Amino acid sequence: MQSLSGICKKLGTSSRFFLQLTPSVGFSTSCYFFIQKKKKNPYQEVDQDKYSNLIRSIVSTRISSQTPESLFQEDDLLYGPVSKYKAQEQESRPKVTQNTVLLLNPEKRNGSDTLPDSSIPLKIPLQKNKMPSVTRILQQTMTAKQILILERWKQRMILELGEDGFAKYTSDIFLQGKHFHEALEAILSSQDQLKELDEKTISSGYVASVQHVLKDISGVRALESAVHHDTLKYLGLLDCVAEYRGKLCVIDWKTSEKPKPFIRNTYDNPLQVVAYVGAINHDANYNFEVQCGLIVVAYKDGSPAHTHFMDSDLCSQYWSKWLLRLEKYTEKEKNQTTLNPD
């Protein structure tokens, strides 16, 4: 019988037994490390898809290519969009004019609505006056966005045409508009004035563009006539007052190289029209009242002009906006007078 120590020696030297014991030892050891790895790792909770682009952009170059725009985009990605609730709430509050002057004039509405001689349109000359013009008021109260758009357009045109070319371009545009208004005045007033114009002016693309509009115009009351508001103290030179499809309107003729199918495309033109409407209704030189407006945009290539009719309700809406611009101008002038009393 072998001794116990001999048996142990044989078992100790047996490779089979050693291989069988090894997993047991290894298992206990691996279990220990497995337990250690199960410890919660905060990085495993990161949304890898969400941050992959951000991480790639950071490690892809040594030189930072970040801009203010990219920083805002990263902030938006990390923290979500900025809440604009308060800003929107403040901007949504409409400004209310402090002026209570109405667009219409009750005194004229109850008075006569006929001219002494309806066949002769009024043409009151524009006289020198300390009152600001409608054009000046609108120019001095443009928004920052309007100024930026205008400046960008100017710089782009100068880049394409040069300083001298841009000056010639603006001069040509002014002359074309002047000839267009002269042709319309002649067409709407008398045949004698029409004969004095050259054929080139009469047959221009702008005149051809408004032919379908002229068919709907009748009862011309005023042409290229000065108007001023007795109460609000401003003046202007309107293009035309006539009936358009039976509605008495202040008509403003505009020229454009680009289509303007919607009234919003005409920018401040509706404010100009209602300013003239309100002035006529409060000008003693005119014994009639106007409630509507019409903007006609003519095109150089002769394509049909776009018409934007403004009924009494729409005119009332734009009248409130005009009063705000007028108040803004008045306040601006007061501030400048205070800073420069001389």
Side-chain angles (χ1 to χ4, degrees), residues 30 42 54 59 61 65 67 86 98 138 146 155-156 160 167 185 200 221 225 236 242 245 264 266 268 275-276 285 291:
S30 62
L54 177 60
V59 301
T61 179
S65 60
T67 63
K86 293 183 179 180
Q98 302 298 318
L138 292 176
Q146 288 175 315
Q155 295 301 325
R156 186 171 66 251
E160 294 178 2
E185 183 182 357
K200 183 179 179 180
R221 301 289 187 91
S225 186
R245 297 180 179 178
R264 65 174 178 268
T266 62
D268 284 341
Y276 293 154
N285 292 310
Q291 299 185 19

Side-chain angles (χ1 to χ4, degrees), residues 118-314:
S118 59
S119 63
I120 303 177
L122 286 174
K123 188 175 182 179
I124 300 173
L126 187 62
Q127 299 177 352
K128 290 184 178 181
N129 198 305
K130 292 184 179 181
M131 293 183 186
S133 67
V134 173
T135 302
R136 174 176 173 78
I137 293 170
L138 292 176
Q139 288 177 345
Q140 293 295 318
T141 58
M142 287 192 299
T143 63
K145 183 178 180 180
Q146 288 175 315
I147 296 173
L148 180 61
I149 292 173
L150 186 61
E151 185 61 26
R152 283 181 176 177
W153 171 82
K154 180 181 177 180
Q155 295 301 325
R156 186 171 66 251
M157 295 299 292
I158 292 176
L159 187 63
E160 294 178 2
L161 305 175
E163 292 283 353
D164 295 338
F166 179 70
K168 185 178 184 305
Y169 170 80
T170 53
S171 177
D172 290 344
I173 292 294
F174 173 79
L175 288 176
Q176 290 173 8
K178 180 181 178 182
H179 293 157
F180 173 57
H181 281 78
E182 289 175 351
L184 289 175
E185 183 182 357
I187 292 171
L188 294 171
S189 58
S190 66
Q191 293 297 322
D192 293 336
Q193 291 188 26
L194 189 60
K195 294 177 182 178
E196 296 178 1
L197 296 176
D198 56 50
E199 185 177 351
K200 183 179 179 180
T201 300
I202 298 173
S203 60
S204 69
Y206 292 123
V207 175
S209 179
V210 299
Q211 286 301 315
H212 69 289
V213 182
L214 295 175
K215 295 177 181 178
D216 294 324
I217 292 178
S218 60
V220 180
R221 301 289 187 91
L223 288 171
E224 298 295 329
S225 186
V227 64
H228 69 278
H229 201 295
D230 294 330
T231 306
L232 296 177
K233 306 302 179 184
Y234 67 84
L235 54 80
L237 186 67
L238 57 84
D239 292 342
C240 178
V241 178
E243 292 183 8
Y244 174 73
R245 297 180 179 178
K247 299 287 186 179
L248 189 62
C249 302
V250 168
I251 303 175
D252 199 24
W253 308 102
K254 296 296 181 184
T255 59
S256 176
E257 295 182 351
K258 295 182 179 179
K260 294 186 177 180
F262 305 104
I263 194 170
R264 65 174 178 268
N265 302 135
T266 62
Y267 301 104
D268 284 341
N269 293 157
L271 300 180
Q272 184 180 16
V273 170
V274 296
Y276 293 154
V277 171
I280 282 181
N281 294 337
H282 294 82
D283 190 332
N285 292 310
Y286 301 87
N287 66 340
F288 54 86
E289 185 184 56
V290 182
Q291 299 185 19
C292 304
L294 179 70
I295 301 172
V296 183
V297 185
Y299 303 109
K300 187 177 181 179
D301 62 0
S303 58
H306 282 113
T307 57
H308 304 290
F309 176 72
M310 302 167 60
D311 60 16
S312 57
D313 291 337
L314 188 58

